[in-house]
Amino acid sequence: MYKRIYPIGIQNFEKIRKDGYVYVDKTAVIHRLVKTGSYYFLSRPRRFGKSLLLSTLHAYFDGKRELFEGLAIEQLEQDWTKHPVLHMDLNIGKYDTPESLDHILDETLSRWEDIYGTGKAEATPALRFAGIIRRAHQQTGQRVAILVDEYDKPMLQAIGNEELQRYYRDTLKPFYGVLKTMDGDIQIGFLTGVTKFSKVSVFSDLNNLIDISMDRRYLTLCGITEEELHRDFDEDIHTLAEVQGMSFEETCLKLKENYDGYHFTYNSIGIYNPFSLLNTFAKMEFSNYWFQTGTPSYLVELLQKHDYDLYRLTHEETSAKLLDSIDSMDANPIPVIYQSGYLTIKGYDQEFDTYRLGFPNSEVERSFIDYLLPFYTGKTESKSEFDIQKFIREVRSGNYESFFRRLAAFFSDIPYDMAAGFSLERHYQNVLFIIFRLLGFYTKVEYHTSEGRVDLVMQTDHFTYVMEFKLDGTAEEALQQIEEKHYAAPFAADTQRKLFKAGINFSKETHGIERWLVVE
């Protein structure tokens, strides 16, 4: 049977086109972009197609018309002018010393100088870059296309290291500043990255750089839309459905739940993760493909550094100004986590210019919660999975005594120093969030929190659990609050599920669950 080949891990446009890989046509929106502006910045999560976009732009400005046969741009473009292209990829380096960035810049500039020559007194990376641009324009008679992939990689890898951050900033700021000073020699400048740093690097001086990360005109530049999914992959969906023993409709729904849901501005269409979709069709299996490619540990370090309340991950609210950029010297965790793709826009309040954020889909949510568990509990992955499976069986069977004994043992087994430097109450809340969120993938879980109070409702096919947690109170007080606040009232009329009301008290002295009471 003929099987299509998918460009998994392949980011070179020419290779994709010549070797017959599947290509989702983005050239109509690319044509609009190159004809309506000169300087752009695009932020998208990793593995979202940024490198392929720049490779496509490289082929376009290189005048390789034959690669675009049959694509939308073939009918739109009349002038296939060949421009000199300076294409730099900062994703290839590991940036842990000042020299690591210096070596990447020197190697890239030397390669360009082999083509366009060197100039006197060009001692710094910025001066060398400017000289190359000027000579490329003079020698070819055409302005230069400058493409920078993952411009922020050095800055991201140096989060938490202020001295290294400062060095990278001082090096890159004048280097990227060449895009403004050499404007007369440049046809287009396009930078991509995961994040946008507000007070350093390109964005403090480059007021000619247009940020299109939240621009509705260019939302579909990277990723796959619902329309593109069915236009280009309907046959693959039918095959996947057959392999999985599902209907076409069920398969579409599962693809949406797992991989859709990225919104890069408010009231916009959802975007599917292209890396996860292509892997799913290539292997004909659902899995957490994007997350498996690696989650940077600095995300968790930022959450812990700020003593962040993990409950807020499901309904975080933030201002547009904060969401738009990152101050690398402060590194508030929310902009970094949003721009890295672990949170996305769920709603927008126009009156107050605030965004509501949440997980984009089940792949990201479940994988991220799994990833957090050892950082907050010290549990190894295999041990954590074993505990969660037992929790689920006990909840489903209504064996609440075993469940709470296991929960108490789980907390007593957490090393004391895991909460060192943090609010103990917050640490309890965060561990409970992780545990019950993991349970929530198999049961229905709702959370309501305020000022240290945690109310939790968990439902299975046969049971409803209404829980109240106290810190240095009593289990009796927790039960009394359930009664006084009428937490169980919405579930009293449910004849399909047995109702349990549980009060649980944590002790600061013992660093665990002191007592629990359950009323049926």
Side-chain angles (χ1 to χ4, degrees):
M1 182 179 69
Y2 170 72
K3 183 173 176 61
R4 301 206 293 170
I5 53 176
Y6 306 91
I8 298 169
I10 299 173
Q11 302 165 347
N12 184 275
F13 177 72
E14 183 169 353
K15 181 176 181 179
I16 288 173
R17 296 294 289 165
K18 285 186 173 180
D19 293 356
Y21 287 92
V22 174
Y23 176 70
V24 177
D25 190 356
K26 301 289 186 180
T27 60
V29 67
I30 288 174
H31 184 263
R32 181 198 309 158
L33 181 143
V34 299
K35 295 300 183 182
T36 57
S38 293
Y39 297 95
Y40 296 101
F41 167 72
L42 177 67
S43 166
R44 285 293 181 267
R46 59 187 173 82
R47 296 284 189 171
F48 230 82
K50 301 187 298 296
S51 297
L52 176 57
L53 170 63
L54 289 194
S55 180
T56 308
L57 286 167
H58 190 149
Y60 170 81
F61 283 105
D62 211 19
K64 295 183 177 180
R65 181 174 186 171
E66 70 280 3
L67 297 179
F68 295 88
E69 290 181 4
L71 301 179
I73 200 171
E74 184 183 26
Q75 304 301 320
L76 298 170
E77 182 59 75
Q78 304 301 317
D79 179 20
W80 291 88
T81 303
K82 179 178 174 63
H83 293 264
V85 180
L86 302 178
H87 189 168
M88 180 169 67
D89 183 4
L90 287 180
N91 197 41
I92 62 175
K94 180 181 180 182
Y95 302 97
D96 51 4
T97 66
E99 294 76 19
S100 56
L101 175 59
D102 294 338
H103 290 157
I104 292 292
L105 293 180
D106 182 60
E107 188 280 330
T108 302
L109 292 166
S110 296
R111 179 162 36 87
W112 293 338
E113 286 168 338
D114 287 342
I115 303 172
Y116 300 110
T118 60
K120 294 181 180 180
E122 292 176 2
T124 68
L127 289 175
R128 292 171 67 188
F129 191 22
I132 291 167
I133 294 170
R134 180 173 54 255
R135 289 188 294 275
H137 185 192
Q138 291 171 346
Q139 293 171 22
T140 66
Q142 298 293 336
R143 289 193 295 266
V144 181
I146 298 173
L147 310 174
V148 182
D149 200 7
E150 304 290 359
Y151 94 96
D152 57 344
K153 187 71 175 288
M155 306 296 295
L156 279 174
Q157 291 197 349
I159 282 182
N161 186 333
E162 187 173 333
E163 183 178 350
L164 196 57
Q165 277 268 357
R166 185 181 299 109
Y167 183 84
Y168 290 159
R169 176 193 65 205
D170 293 343
T171 301
L172 290 173
K173 189 174 180 179
F175 184 81
Y176 291 134
V178 172
L179 272 73
K180 185 173 182 179
T181 60
M182 301 298 294
D183 178 51
D185 298 289
I186 298 173
Q187 179 70 22
I188 191 170
F190 200 115
L191 283 73
T192 71
V194 171
T195 55
K196 179 180 176 183
F197 289 95
S198 57
K199 295 182 180 179
V200 298
S201 180
V202 296
F203 301 102
S204 56
D205 292 334
L206 276 185
N207 53 16
N208 61 334
L209 199 67
I210 301 172
D211 183 0
I212 60 172
S213 304
M214 301 177 73
D215 191 323
R216 294 183 186 278
R217 297 172 297 172
Y218 303 114
L219 293 179
T220 62
L221 267 174
C222 297
I224 296 174
T225 67
E226 187 81 28
E227 179 183 354
E228 291 167 339
L229 174 65
H230 291 288
R231 182 193 69 194
D232 296 345
F233 298 99
D234 250 16
E235 184 179 342
D236 302 89
I237 300 174
H238 279 288
T239 304
L240 178 63
E242 183 178 348
V243 170
Q244 295 294 320
M246 302 166 64
S247 70
F248 179 80
E249 292 74 19
E250 289 171 337
T251 306
C252 289
L253 181 60
K254 189 165 184 178
L255 287 170
K256 179 177 283 293
E257 290 174 346
N258 279 321
Y259 310 127
D260 192 13
Y262 290 89
H263 297 271
F264 299 110
T265 191
Y266 63 94
N267 294 336
S268 64
I269 61 172
I271 303 292
Y272 284 81
N273 184 316
F275 185 78
S276 294
L277 274 184
L278 293 175
N279 271 279
T280 300
F281 293 138
K283 300 175 183 178
M284 288 295 150
E285 292 286 347
F286 291 96
S287 188
N288 299 328
Y289 295 108
W290 180 73
F291 208 90
Q292 290 171 3
T293 61
T295 296
S297 60
Y298 67 75
L299 292 179
V300 181
E301 292 168 4
L302 284 175
L303 291 171
Q304 293 183 322
K305 174 184 176 182
H306 291 270
D307 201 14
Y308 183 79
D309 181 359
L310 295 180
Y311 282 85
R312 290 166 52 191
L313 287 173
T314 61
H315 57 273
E316 178 63 72
E317 291 190 357
T318 185
S319 68
K321 181 179 180 181
L322 182 65
L323 190 65
D324 184 51
S325 59
I326 294 171
D327 178 353
S328 65
M329 307 311 289
D330 177 43
N332 181 301
I334 294 309
V336 180
I337 292 171
Y338 161 73
Q339 292 182 22
S340 299
Y342 297 91
L343 295 177
T344 195
I345 295 171
K346 294 290 188 178
Y348 177 68
D349 188 321
Q350 191 168 11
E351 180 181 3
F352 298 103
D353 196 24
T354 57
Y355 289 90
R356 180 172 57 84
L357 308 179
F359 293 110
N361 52 51
S362 61
E363 177 191 22
V364 174
E365 179 177 5
R366 181 169 181 172
S367 299
F368 196 49
I369 299 302
D370 274 332
Y371 185 74
L372 290 174
L373 186 58
F375 288 93
Y376 284 85
T377 68
K379 306 282 187 179
T380 64
E381 184 178 357
S382 58
K383 174 64 175 173
S384 300
E385 290 176 354
F386 181 73
D387 283 333
I388 294 300
Q389 289 174 13
K390 289 199 170 184
F391 279 136
I392 292 164
R393 293 190 184 101
E394 290 159 354
V395 168
R396 286 177 175 172
S397 67
N399 187 356
Y400 58 80
E401 283 295 332
S402 292
F403 171 80
F404 284 117
R405 280 198 300 270
R406 189 174 306 282
L407 188 63
F410 189 93
F411 270 91
S412 66
D413 197 34
I414 296 175
Y416 173 69
D417 59 3
M418 294 296 296
F422 308 112
S423 158
L424 188 60
E425 187 172 6
R426 177 62 48 76
H427 186 68
Y428 285 149
Q429 287 180 339
N430 285 340
V431 173
L432 284 171
F433 168 81
I434 293 170
I435 293 172
F436 286 109
R437 205 68 189 179
L438 290 173
L439 290 175
F441 293 116
Y442 304 93
T443 62
K444 179 182 178 183
V445 175
E446 296 177 357
Y447 306 85
H448 307 280
T449 66
S450 63
E451 299 178 1
R453 177 173 60 83
V454 181
D455 302 323
L456 184 143
V457 176
M458 182 164 55
Q459 288 185 305
T460 68
D461 290 341
H462 304 291
F463 303 99
T464 296
Y465 301 81
V466 178
M467 304 183 195
E468 176 66 22
F469 296 87
K470 292 291 184 182
L471 178 62
D472 276 349
T474 66
E476 288 82 0
E477 289 174 348
L479 272 177
Q480 183 179 355
Q481 183 166 331
I482 291 175
E483 297 297 341
E484 291 178 351
K485 300 289 187 179
H486 307 292
Y487 291 155
F491 312 101
D494 186 351
T495 58
Q496 302 299 315
R497 297 179 178 90
K498 186 173 182 179
L499 178 63
F500 298 118
K501 292 175 282 188
I504 304 96
N505 184 58
F506 282 89
S507 168
K508 288 183 180 178
E509 182 178 351
T510 62
H511 307 292
I513 294 178
E514 177 262 337
R515 188 165 180 251
W516 67 85
L517 285 175
V518 180
V519 174
E520 300 183 18

